[in-house]
Amino acid sequence: MTGPAKHGVLVYSNNINDLAKFYTELFSLQITRETPELISLVKEGFNIIIHTPPIELPQADFNTVKLFMTVDNLEAAKLKAQKLGGQAFAGEWSNPLFRVCNIADSDGNPIQLREFRQ
């Protein structure tokens, strides 16, 4: 796999090295990228990104697993999510490759949306 994944799962952890060891040894995932904040694992096109929490989160509000999905348009996807009973959250972040924002599905599960730059 080259470049950032378009679909996968983010797993927040306060000890990314131990969690990466768990996944690599149990499921034979391969490390494709490693920084002090994240470790990216892949197997057969499936991507798990183990990431330190980006902000201090109260334990009661801490969701440790978050899907990430690529969409063509962040704004259109947020509106559609709301029409389908989901929730769109304020805030957007970007890097040179894509923009991201967060939504929740109709059951409240968190999802990161990614819109890749052309």
Side-chain angles (χ1 to χ4, degrees), residues 40-108:
S40 182
L41 309 173
V42 69
K43 182 177 181 178
E44 299 173 8
F46 182 71
N47 186 217
I48 297 175
I49 299 173
I50 302 171
H51 203 299
T52 57
I55 60 172
E56 184 77 24
L57 296 173
Q59 195 61 33
D61 296 334
F62 189 77
N63 292 311
T64 57
V65 176
K66 181 194 307 186
L67 289 172
F68 63 87
M69 303 293 292
T70 297
V71 297
D72 292 330
N73 182 287
L74 288 182
E75 289 75 22
K78 289 193 303 187
L79 288 172
K80 189 169 187 178
Q82 290 174 309
K83 287 180 184 176
L84 294 169
Q87 188 176 6
F89 301 109
E92 184 179 295
W93 302 267
S94 65
N95 64 36
L97 301 175
F98 54 83
R99 297 184 313 140
V100 300
C101 68
N102 291 308
I103 65 167
D105 66 19
S106 56
D107 278 352

